[in-house]
Amino acid sequence: MKNTHPPVSALALAGRITEWLTFDNMHHQWLLLAACFWVIFMFMVASKFITLTFKDPDAYSTKQEFLFLTAVPDSRKLQEEQQFPEELKPTGKMLADGQLAQPLVYMERLELIQNVCRDAALKNLSHTAVSKFVLDRIFVCDKHKILFCQTPKVGNTQWKKVLIVLNGAFPSIEDIPENVVHDHEKNGLPRLSAFSDAEIQKRLKTYFKFFIVRDPFERLISAFKDKFVHNPRFEPWYRHEIAPGIIRKYRRNRTETRGIQFEDFVRYLGDPNHRWLDLQFGDHIIHWVTYVELCAPCEISYSVIGHHETLEDDAPYILKEAGIDHLVSYPTIPPGITVYNKTKVEHYFLGISKRDIRRLYARFEGDFKLFGYQKPDFLLN
């Protein structure tokens, strides 16, 4: 059979081969270009994933810690840290200008105490011996290395409940009977005075130490109401033994037959010679003696000083600094109960002579200055 296909010349054949090679070359170029785009796309996806990983380190387990870079220490930060003694080293987040956020206020409170303690003019009002009376006020939680100095009429009942739970006497705050909180034979709260001198010093140097304060005059009003007016825990000796002793010595109007008045109480507390009555009253005076006499803040280096007026912030901070915030919570604080009430203070001091109020302030001036409370000029002038 004859070949019906027309003969192909050498020139035409060369042209077809060239055309095929050109097409094949372009095909490879497109494939290469597509592959490049794919690589770029995958790199962008991977880059985005890596960025998200670094922004949220908490989302990964410790097995992936090798992904994170080690930060180079900032020399300015190191200088700031070196300015504080170890026991006063601040904690918390830093603001943009390098200042501490909330913990700054607690540092300022401790610095104020140090400054007032160094003031020779206030030495008699700010210093006291760390006597058995002081050591009796300090409750111990060895399990969590905590010392708490009791300052009555400043919400101390709730803090004692916290320590009772931490010491294991009761499983929760709600389970503690009210009559047990202040019964030191049943509440499981040892006092620092129960230890040897060496054990006392060891705890004072190494444990977390704190106490709470409030406006000194408002605290005295609270003590007067609680012990001589309402007396909710039925402690008859305040009305039947202590009140008559104050009235006999300090009541000016001898024909007055009413029970103890706040004016009598103020005269007793402001008398420079009040100590002879204090000795008769014994430890019951803890409800109205100064914070200095109770806790010796110039002799003992406390870790945190809380304020009753800011207890909503201070209580969680204290629990966190003590390392127990995951174990126990401070009981709920009723709204407005911690706010300073100037109207109430004015009401109670109404009719009391300026002389008696000034004498009272002279005794409690150390407390006002040590803890940053404003001088009550509206009562003194």
Side-chain angles (χ1 to χ4, degrees):
M1 181 180 296
K2 292 182 179 180
N3 188 0
T4 58
H5 291 287
V8 180
S9 67
L11 183 60
L13 181 59
R16 289 184 182 181
I17 291 173
T18 302
E19 182 181 348
W20 180 83
L21 289 173
T22 302
F23 174 79
D24 188 60
N25 188 40
M26 291 180 63
H27 178 70
H28 280 287
Q29 289 178 348
W30 279 108
L31 287 176
L32 182 60
L33 186 61
C36 290
F37 275 114
W38 176 254
V39 170
I40 293 172
F41 175 76
M42 291 302 295
F43 180 79
M44 292 174 63
V45 172
S47 175
K48 185 67 174 177
F49 179 77
I50 291 171
T51 301
L52 292 173
T53 301
F54 277 91
K55 284 184 179 179
D56 189 16
D58 294 334
Y60 289 85
S61 67
T62 54
K63 293 180 181 179
Q64 292 168 311
E65 288 179 352
F66 66 90
L67 289 174
F68 302 103
L69 300 176
T70 302
V72 177
D74 188 315
S75 59
R76 290 174 299 177
K77 185 177 180 181
L78 291 176
Q79 290 173 359
E80 289 172 357
E81 292 181 350
Q82 291 170 356
Q83 291 174 358
F84 296 95
E86 185 62 27
E87 67 272 18
L88 298 180
K89 189 174 179 180
T91 60
K93 297 180 179 179
M94 300 293 290
L95 301 177
D97 58 358
Q99 291 184 336
L100 285 167
Q102 189 186 49
L104 178 61
V105 68
Y106 305 107
M107 290 297 304
E108 289 177 340
R109 289 174 185 175
L110 296 178
E111 289 172 359
L112 175 62
I113 290 174
Q114 291 176 348
N115 291 335
V116 175
C117 290
R118 287 193 291 263
D119 188 342
L122 294 171
K123 185 175 182 180
N124 292 336
L125 295 171
S126 59
H127 289 263
T128 191
V130 183
S131 61
K132 185 179 183 299
F133 181 81
V134 171
L135 297 175
D136 279 343
R137 310 281 77 78
I138 300 177
F139 295 104
V140 182
C141 177
D142 277 330
K143 185 176 181 180
H144 299 282
K145 296 186 176 181
I146 297 171
L147 299 180
F148 167 63
C149 185
Q150 178 188 22
T151 49
K153 316 325 309 164
V154 193
N156 280 253
T157 298
Q158 306 305 328
W159 284 110
K160 289 172 79 171
K161 289 180 180 179
V162 168
L163 292 182
I164 289 170
V165 171
L166 290 174
N167 277 347
F170 290 88
S172 70
I173 288 174
E174 292 73 24
D175 294 323
I176 305 172
E178 286 299 322
N179 64 324
V180 170
V181 178
H182 302 288
D183 187 337
H184 300 295
E185 294 182 358
K186 298 179 180 179
N187 63 17
L189 287 180
R191 300 171 188 261
L192 191 56
S193 58
F195 298 87
S196 68
D197 289 344
E199 290 173 327
I200 289 171
Q201 291 305 316
K202 178 183 176 182
R203 285 165 175 79
L204 285 174
K205 289 179 180 178
T206 61
Y207 281 21
F208 177 86
K209 304 171 288 293
F210 77 100
F211 67 94
I212 314 296
V213 297
R214 73 188 294 187
D215 177 86
F217 279 6
E218 195 171 37
R219 172 175 169 254
L220 295 179
I221 293 171
S222 178
F224 178 79
K225 289 169 58 179
D226 184 63
K227 300 306 175 189
F228 300 111
V229 180
H230 303 306
N231 204 248
R233 282 191 288 275
F234 187 67
E235 300 161 315
W237 49 87
Y238 286 100
R239 288 183 183 175
H240 301 317
E241 298 175 24
I242 295 177
I246 293 174
I247 291 172
R248 280 193 299 270
K249 181 167 178 60
Y250 295 103
R251 177 157 293 178
R252 287 176 178 167
N253 184 359
R254 296 296 178 179
T255 62
E256 174 64 66
T257 58
R258 290 183 300 171
I260 187 170
Q261 302 297 300
F262 189 63
E263 182 179 11
D264 306 321
F265 190 55
V266 167
R267 285 201 198 96
Y268 152 57
L269 295 178
D271 183 1
N273 301 311
H274 62 83
R275 295 194 183 278
W276 76 272
L277 262 188
D278 290 350
L279 292 173
Q280 296 180 41
F281 297 156
D283 279 359
H284 300 308
I285 64 173
I286 66 172
H287 298 281
W288 50 76
V289 298
T290 66
Y291 299 128
V292 171
E293 295 169 278
L294 291 169
C295 299
C298 287
E299 285 66 38
I300 299 174
S301 297
Y302 286 90
S303 311
V304 177
I305 305 297
H307 281 225
H308 185 259
E309 294 82 1
T310 54
L311 197 57
E312 290 85 350
D313 295 324
D314 292 3
Y317 178 80
I318 290 170
L319 295 177
K320 181 176 180 296
E321 289 297 291
I324 55 175
D325 55 321
H326 62 293
L327 299 174
V328 67
S329 298
Y330 189 82
T332 302
I333 302 171
I337 196 171
T338 63
V339 177
Y340 173 70
N341 191 335
K342 182 180 177 182
T343 301
K344 179 179 69 177
V345 174
E346 289 176 322
H347 170 74
Y348 270 84
F349 281 91
L350 185 66
I352 299 178
S353 71
K354 299 297 182 185
R355 172 183 174 273
D356 289 336
I357 298 175
R358 290 185 187 119
R359 291 178 69 171
L360 181 68
Y361 177 76
R363 178 180 176 187
F364 287 86
E365 184 180 5
D367 282 358
F368 276 94
K369 298 203 173 208
L370 278 165
F371 305 107
Y373 286 102
Q374 188 173 0
K375 184 178 179 180
D377 288 323
F378 64 96
L379 298 175
L380 300 171
N381 300 325

